[in-house]
Amino acid sequence: MTKSVDYFFSIGSPWSYIGFDAFIELAAKNEVAITPYLTTVVEENGGIFSRNRPEIRRAYWTRDLKRWARVRGKELWLEHRPELSDPTPASLFVIAAYLDRQDWIGVARALQHAFWSEAKDIGRSDVREAIVTAAGFDGAALLRRQADDDVQNKWSADRVHARDSGVFGFPTYVHDGELYWGQDNLPFLERHLRGDRP
């Protein structure tokens, strides 16, 4: 039987970006079917936006991001970033690609890299259209699709599913009813996928 993982992530989460390729590689190696769910921090379950954390914790968070970015081979632009709009609308491009059975992984990778490594304003529709087009996708089609009912309905349903699944931060992986929060939990997820359920 095919193994499956519900994958909860946010385009606006640097941890989702850092752990993205490692998770995709793990899933391929273990023949895992991924179902993506995109949303933002689930405050109802105790999630906290970084901007609402004490400065001492934010400073540690930044250091830890830099450590993990080096481990994962990712470039992060964290300091002196230009003022950017909310990246959340970029999620709609990923959802549209997924619903249309396109390469949603490639779309998500392009948008995350643009936002976290290049500080591009993916909250703007023209910017994200250009980014995914340059990456080899039909940016104009994804831009048209983002307002469609099925895309908007999945966006709304993803948040409800995240809340009801006990998700509070990103990335979160759920396999066989077991929740793993954070890309640093990927080794535990892989053990579970190989039969060592906690």
Side-chain angles (χ1 to χ4, degrees):
M1 180 171 21
T2 302
K3 291 167 281 193
S4 63
V5 170
D6 283 359
Y7 174 43
F8 299 87
F9 71 111
S10 169
I11 298 293
S13 161
W15 293 111
S16 292
Y17 172 53
I18 288 172
F20 189 81
D21 290 331
F23 170 59
I24 298 304
E25 290 168 13
L26 181 156
K29 184 170 62 174
N30 291 277
E31 300 180 334
V32 170
I34 304 170
T35 303
Y37 296 93
L38 289 100
T39 185
T40 58
V41 171
V42 187
E43 293 180 286
E44 307 96 296
N45 289 346
I48 303 172
F49 285 97
S50 62
R51 63 179 176 268
N52 296 330
R53 293 175 181 154
E55 186 53 41
I56 193 85
R57 186 172 172 190
R58 282 181 51 80
Y60 182 84
W61 176 82
T62 300
R63 292 299 304 150
D64 211 29
L65 278 169
K66 290 178 178 179
R67 294 184 191 114
W68 272 107
R70 290 186 68 179
V71 168
R72 299 292 191 202
K74 300 277 188 169
E75 292 288 332
L76 276 184
W77 184 345
L78 293 175
E79 278 110 7
H80 311 296
R81 284 169 64 87
E83 286 292 324
L84 303 175
S85 56
D86 181 1
T88 299
S91 301
L92 301 174
F93 271 35
V94 180
I95 290 172
Y98 172 73
L99 291 176
D100 292 345
R101 300 184 184 278
Q102 303 299 317
D103 179 15
W104 66 268
I105 291 171
V107 172
R109 181 180 286 124
L111 290 168
Q112 287 180 318
H113 176 80
F115 186 71
W116 287 111
S117 291
E118 301 174 341
K120 291 188 177 177
D121 196 353
I122 63 173
R124 289 178 44 190
S125 59
D126 60 324
V127 172
R128 61 179 176 273
E129 179 184 358
I131 289 165
V132 298
T133 298
F137 304 100
D138 188 342
L142 291 173
L143 181 61
R144 288 193 299 272
R145 285 281 283 127
Q146 68 180 7
D148 290 347
D149 286 347
D150 60 337
V151 174
Q152 292 291 327
N153 290 341
K154 177 165 169 52
W155 169 248
S156 299
D158 282 5
R159 179 163 193 82
V160 172
H161 185 49
R163 183 198 66 204
D164 293 349
S165 297
V167 172
F168 47 88
F170 307 107
T172 294
Y173 320 94
V174 179
H175 172 61
D176 195 22
E178 192 75 22
L179 186 149
Y180 299 90
W181 170 49
Q183 59 87 36
D184 54 332
N185 267 258
L186 284 173
F188 299 127
L189 172 62
E190 185 161 34
R191 288 176 67 93
H192 187 171
L193 289 166
R194 294 182 174 181
D196 182 17
R197 177 171 183 161

